[in-house]
Amino acid sequence: MTQVATPVIAHLTPEELAALNKPRHDGKWWLGKIASTLGMAFIVIYCLVPFYWMIISSLRLPTMGLSNDYWPNPISFENYPGVFSAQNNFLRAIINSVVVSVTTTVLTLVFGIIGAYALARLRFAAKGFVLAIIIGASMFPGITLLLPLFKLFTGAYDWMPLHWLNQYQAAIIPSLSFGLPLCVWNLTAFFRQLPVELEQAAMVDGCTPGEAFRKVILPLAAPGVFTTAILTFIAVWNEFMISLTFLQARDMKTATVALSQFTGTLGFNTPFGSIMAAGVITTIPLLILVLFFQRRIVAGLTAGGVK
Amino acid sequence: MASKNKLARLTLSVLSATAILATAACGSSSGTAGSTTSASTDASWSKTGPINYVQGKDTSGNVQKVIDKWNALHPDQKVTLIELSDNADQQRASMIQNAQSKGASNYDVLSVDVVWTAEFAANGYISALPSNLDTSGYLKAAVDSGTYFNKLYAFPSTSDGALLYYRKDLLDAAGLKPPTTWADMKADCKTIQASTPGIDCYGGQFQKYEGLTCNIAEMVNSAGGQFLDDKGAPTVNTDAAVAGVQWAVDAFKDGTIPKAALTWQEEPSRQAFQDGKLVFLRNWPYVYSLANKTDGSSKVAGKFAVAPIPGLNGPGVSTLGGHNMGISTYSQNKGTALAFIQWWNSPENQKANTIATSNAPTWTALYTDTDLTSQFQYLPVLKASIDKAQARPKAVKYGDVTLAIQDAAYNALNGTTTAKAAMDDLQTKLTALVK
Amino acid sequence: MAVTTAERTAPTTIKRKKNAFSDGQGALAAMLLAPTLLVMFFVTGIPIVMSIVEAFYRAKGGVDPNTGLVQTGSSFVGLQNFTDIFAHPSIVVGVYGSMDRLINAFINTTLFTVVCVVLETILGVAMALIMARAFRGRGLVRASILVPWAIPTIVSAVMWKLIFNTDGVANKVLGLTNSPILWLGDNRYSQMAIIIADVWKTAPFIGLLTLAGLQTIPAEVYEAAKVDGASAWQTFTRITLPMVKPALVVAVLFRTLDTLRMFDLPWGMIGPGKYSVETLSVFAYLEMNATRYGQAAAYSIVLFLYIVLVAFLFVKLLGADVVGDEELKAINAQRKRMRELHRKQAKASASVRTNITSGSAAS
């Protein structure tokens, strides 16, 4: 007669089983947990301390701009109205930033959505080549593009004399050079993540590919489109060199350029307090976007890089 | 509302671009010299009409008020203020862009920094003013700064000279008078530092920017050297010039000038003086009223006075600062532009401007005007400073010239090269640039 | 007679497509991609060509000795803008001694790129490893990580400028109030300041991308490694790194290209005209401001070629997969296999032919 080997477990009582399965919190485990917590604390401090310094520097009295106290004494909000005073024209600068960023984002989305659909869904022989060109083009140094565009927009070329200096389109068009590839790349990654079966099911139900795209895919891709819009907006808001070159008039500067050229009441003054306040103001919209949509943004940033 | 305006202009500009196509003058032809529009042949000199006045950021808030006065007097020749960046390099870039786009920005009257005259004149950005203008009542140095090739291109408007701010309380306590030579200044410092430990001797602006060119030019000129000789050829490696730079180098080495001064522009140096950290400070007149503020921001309010800057063997030579007014070559209504310039710089208007903004005027008689001297005690000292002041080297490629000077000075001051080697290098560079 | 065994081979010819878009959906794709490609052509393609053309010209700029006026226009000078870097160098004295200004900018750019990318990769991967093992507080850490990324570069430049001020908090924290380090001067310290500011801003971003890559590694792999007795270091180098490599390489590639083009930080924090931190972008920009368009274009072309070279090295040597299309990868892999197969076949048939030397195989 064969003996069926009974599992060892059968000889244990439930209490003994529970005791054996309890996770062991030995010294090594605690060490790991402490190190991990310390590591997290390090990361948080690393990321936030310089920003903390900027915030408290903006909360000092205007005359104490270079004070090194770790906590402002007294706390004063005087720098903030000072940022918007007539001589700094910062409100106008923010409006300019908004106009340029929003227009560029909208344009890139319009071109990007249809382009990304083609790259994500359609099959054609030159797809790899097109993708490579689009991504490659975004890698070109800005200064190489800036020079001919600068000459073009100041009318130096007789065959196309434009005088677009200090007008919005002079900043929007060069921004497309990095905004559009970024948009296309992100959207392509998002569209790829959507299963093909959805469209096929819609087409089986009688939709044309275009209708399938509009009615089925786009609504589903809306989060991805939204995230791409945020990422593009942030990238264009961030932009410095192009705005520095093409939007020089006092009323046309964007927030980033205006911030870098802040002076105080006299020509020589360096108002650290107002500069930091302006920096905080310039960053707040982006931070709000980032904090509200952090999951989406993280997903968007990593979608392209991780398959 | 304003942005809507801009968007409307966007469409308009696209349409007008095609119109401009037909009329745009040729820009990249080969080898023609820039055109001169002399007062007699150019019809636009007799035209009157609305114009734009372009200057850097108005930090005084006074400019628009004066413009409103003109507009009330001449309603058919309205002047509009266009404010550029407060950064001098950006202002220059904007004015150059206007010229290179054949006046697309519609600048008429330009506020030209004294060091840009040669560049703007030679490149045809501004027109030579009519030769029959009377400039005898203006400071000679200011008139000279607006002249190129014996023609007046920019009308003298405001001036600036360096002053030596000193702690009157400390010098009086030690029974000393303000020094006239560098050696005297060092000796004074030693005495004062014995009784007031921890205070630094002398401060200036030695960061690598235009201010360094001013400070080093003063060192060179105050030691008897020159950047350019009478014919405009560089002479920076003479013994006198090197001696001037060498003094500054030694001053950094032995602590007469604090090492931190290598990062100072006008404001940080003013801050150091106001915090009581310096005995002597070289800076522009604007510091006077700020350092005298009694709201607690200045620890030296009422305790300082001004004197001319010292030199190697006697009183020193200041750098000439200031702005002149020029007319863009592409201006359509040069008649109005010229009239506006002359009106703006008339004695009455210059006096009113000085009272409102404390900018130094260029009408000579104002420096002895009792109303002004009672309000601005430093005016007589400033006049003496400007009288002896020397302009920075006049060169068409001034941007490169000043960069070369800054390179040489900075390398010598922070010890990377010796003063002699730096000035020899500078001589080579300037010879190539100025020819 | 040599008999070739019947191998199951796929058809040996690769059908040539009539044109790039003739794979069925090409027409639609062309229509959808046309706007994007047109925009890229006009905004990027044409300016690049114009830049290249411009690099062969130089403004005349001579001053007429009689009128004092400058000659207008530019003349064709061939490669002179490039050869003058070596033939007529404009010497500046930077941190490395005296050399031509372009070479100085080139070395600066390379130094910043190498040091910054190495530091931020190490820091970023370390951050990712810490975050991967996190028990609680992930939300707070994720939010903090995005803060440096969200701050515009020029704002961070101004912020660090205040921190690194001679009388600022950096010197205070280091206890150097009395003999301060001149972080913002034109010296080695300003280079360090730039590197610190850049690494601060971008290390969290790399951390984020690496974390995403880490999270795709299944837990079973680690368990299997533990069962096999792998040490922590072995696990890291043999399992974690290789599996994270694709994401990491792409992230590092983009960061490298971004740092090569660095402009905002030197401009905003230290200022233009400071040779110790002058990068190629800043230098070309300053030349453009000085209306020396020919030279500016030449230097920007140098930067452009540098970037193309680095991108090429990354893609070819490190295998950066930027495009990431699965289908394309499969097609390329298939094509590669077919090529290998045909090469082997050709070699086999060639060796068969050459082996027929003795008479016994004939007839």
Side-chain angles (χ1 to χ4, degrees), chain B residues 150-371:
Chain B
N150 288 325
K151 296 205 199 96
L152 184 70
Y153 278 87
F155 203 86
S157 188
T158 58
S159 189
D160 230 350
L163 298 172
L164 183 77
Y165 293 82
Y166 65 94
R167 291 287 300 276
K168 195 166 186 329
D169 57 337
L170 297 177
L171 261 72
D172 283 348
L176 297 167
K177 304 219 74 118
T180 50
T181 67
W182 291 331
D184 284 347
M185 186 169 75
K186 262 177 131 165
D188 291 351
C189 278
K190 273 223 167 57
T191 322
I192 293 176
Q193 278 167 332
S195 51
T196 319
I199 198 169
D200 283 316
C201 181
Y202 175 84
Q205 296 81 44
F206 299 102
Q207 199 192 73
K208 209 168 166 199
Y209 75 122
E210 184 66 22
L212 178 59
T213 309
C214 296
N215 276 261
I216 266 305
E218 281 163 12
M219 304 288 172
V220 165
N221 292 330
S222 302
Q226 306 268 353
F227 276 105
L228 303 177
D229 64 16
D230 304 324
K231 300 203 195 62
T235 61
V236 293
N237 53 357
T238 57
D239 288 338
V242 176
V245 180
Q246 188 65 46
W247 181 84
V249 174
D250 292 338
F252 268 98
K253 278 216 192 86
D254 64 21
T256 310
I257 307 180
K259 265 262 180 304
L262 277 175
T263 59
W264 284 354
Q265 296 197 0
E266 280 84 357
E267 276 300 280
S269 63
R270 167 174 82 88
Q271 197 67 44
F273 186 72
Q274 279 186 205
D275 289 344
K277 297 197 192 135
L278 291 171
V279 181
F280 296 104
L281 169 71
R282 174 263 176 219
N283 211 321
W284 306 100
Y286 85 101
V287 171
Y288 197 91
S289 42
L290 289 174
N292 249 338
K293 276 214 170 117
T294 43
D295 60 357
S297 58
S298 170
K299 300 201 180 81
V300 302
K303 297 193 196 151
F304 68 94
V306 292
I309 58 172
L312 182 60
N313 298 317
V317 177
S318 154
T319 304
L320 187 70
H323 283 80
N324 302 325
M325 286 183 166
I327 302 182
S328 161
T329 320
Y330 301 97
S331 168
Q332 295 299 312
N333 298 322
K334 293 204 175 88
T336 306
L338 186 60
F340 179 69
I341 289 180
Q342 290 183 291
W343 177 85
W344 183 278
N345 293 303
S346 61
E348 312 80 46
N349 278 328
Q350 281 216 354
K351 179 169 177 175
N353 279 346
T354 307
I355 294 179
T357 65
S358 68
N359 279 330
T362 46
W363 184 259
T364 319
L366 287 175
Y367 283 91
T368 43
D369 184 302
T370 41
D371 292 335

Side-chain angles (χ1 to χ4, degrees), chain B residues 31-32 122 148 208 400 407 410, chain C residues 60 68 70 72 91 186 275 292:
Chain B
T32 56
Y148 180 69
K208 209 168 166 199
D400 296 328
D407 283 356
Y410 199 83
Chain C
K60 287 218 179 80
V70 167
T72 56
I91 302 283
D186 192 1
Y275 300 127
R292 279 194 288 265

